[in-house]
Amino acid sequence: MARPLSILFVSSEAYPFAKTGGLADVSYSLPLAIREFGHDIRVMIPKYGSISERKNKIHEINRLREIPIPIGENSWPATVKSSSMNNPRQKVQAYITTNVNYFDAKKGFYADPLTGINYPDNDERFIFFNKTVLQTCLVLGWFPDIIHCNDWQTGLIPALIRTIYPQEFKRAKIVYTIHNFNNLGSFASESFDKTGLPADVRDSVLHNGNLNFAKAGTMYSDCVTTVSPSYAADIMSGAAYSDGINNVIASRHGELSGIIHGVDNYVWNPKNDSYLARNYDRTSVNDKFLNKERLLNRVGLPVQYTTPLIGMISRFSEQKGVRLLLEAADELFAENVQLIILGEGDPELQDAVSELKERFPTKVGVKIGFDDELAHLIEASADMFLMPSLFEPCGLNQLYSFVYGTVPIVRATGGLADTVSDFNPETKEGNGFVFQEFAADAMLVAVRRALHTFHEREQWEAVQQNGMNGDYSWSASGRYYSELYRSLLRD
Ligand code: GLC
């Protein structure tokens, strides 16, 4: 058998410690899936103020106390703590890096939760995090075979490794995964001076005059990946926005591969999901409606079993297409339908969504914020799940929806286009309802088709079963990365 590899997986969030979006789910499930292949994989994330040490069983490690981390002219202490991520089969070591001012004192991850405004010292916060990751390896004397960095918040790690510690990490190969090209970590050029990178690499990490974390990651890693084939193709062809980083990838690496995500069967499984009023599986999917009462009561909507219920769980941003819902509202809520929306983000969109509740009090339920329990209940109770995204690198909720027998209605973009196929009533093929154009009218056509099909029971069962019968396990992605790591080490 091939030798197990040592792998460091670095991310700015990981379930169950810290989650604002899909990145956290991936940073939990993917390392556990890779662990299945026998590798020694460990995860590192920052310890934001909202992470409870007691709840997450986080404890100190003697050797990793008060490590001095230089930021520009100053130096601040990092203490790296330890915990683990588990499922019933595997356990992955997690290192949680702390610093009082940068992380512990701030409840938000990237932005102040009260104002929604990004913290002004995000450059320093993540320079600090990136450097702490490397210092931890140095103090432990642990130089992994693979360092897998994720998104802009880890983008300086490849540059720091190759320019400051080339000897120590000479065996290591670096993989850099970009989960969303819409946020590449761009800061004023003065931030460069705080990184400690040698002056002669300045040009290679500056992009359009700014320090760009993702460009640094792209320039100094051995391989760049993203999270679905369609999104990868859109990025490289310039069809999806990437601020020109596609050209950097093309010149350095040639291509960009897109690896789709899976569903963590231990976390998202209607058969034993403890948040549900009634568990079910594909043989008893008709029982899913027994969850509706709990959900509708929770959000203050009248319980109407025969009215189709649409769920939506989303970051409120332009990406997620919340605007299409707002534009379509009058026409949509003239139909016999209810909708529950859970999420947070752009304060203006939050207000507009809350207003929907006031305008359509018996039809719309809104919960602003992040609520894991409610998210599970929505997946289980809703009949349909709406994702009208402008772009979607991969998307996880459409996959969770399949598993819960909740039929996705999506715009054909990125990972949504790769996973959801339009239902054809003639052939009974297709696992969802798909529209092409990013427009409220196009979305309404797809929603109305779904509402109509809902009342044709035989057809509805077919589209539900098509979704529930798919294979969404993480092991295919785990195997892909495991093979990618090996192929890099062979080169
Ligand atoms: C980002 C993307 C989303 C993807 C997730 C995990 O949140 O917007 O599409 O599923 O990262 O890769």
Side-chain angles (χ1 to χ4, degrees), residues 22-23 26 179-180 227 261 315 319-320 392-396:
L23 174 63
V26 175
H179 295 255
N180 196 333
V227 292
H261 303 322
R315 210 171 347 101
Q319 171 190 345
K320 298 292 181 178
E392 195 63 70
C394 179
L396 283 156

Side-chain angles (χ1 to χ4, degrees), residues 62 310 328 354 368:
N62 275 339
I310 303 179
S354 304
I368 303 291

Side-chain angles (χ1 to χ4, degrees), residues 326-342:
L326 299 171
E327 276 175 37
D330 284 326
E331 285 190 66
L332 177 61
F333 297 114
E335 305 279 345
N336 176 28
V337 66
Q338 290 179 311
L339 179 134
I340 292 184
I341 176 162
L342 163 67

Side-chain angles (χ1 to χ4, degrees), residues 87-108:
N87 69 21
R89 289 172 57 93
Q90 300 293 353
K91 181 175 181 151
V92 164
Q93 162 84 45
Y95 294 108
I96 325 248
T97 71
T98 79
N99 170 272
V100 174
N101 286 330
Y102 289 137
F103 294 113
D104 305 61
K106 296 183 168 88
K107 284 217 179 314

Side-chain angles (χ1 to χ4, degrees), residues 27 50 52 60 77-78 86 90 127 131 141 151 173 227 264 302 320 331 333 335 367 385 397 434-435 480:
S27 302
S50 45
S52 153
E60 298 212 352
N86 309 294
Q90 300 293 353
I127 292 170
K131 290 185 154 190
D151 266 353
K173 296 290 177 188
V227 292
D264 196 311
K320 298 292 181 178
E331 285 190 66
F333 297 114
E335 305 279 345
K367 168 89 193 270
F385 196 94
N397 277 309
V434 181
F435 61 100
Y480 185 96

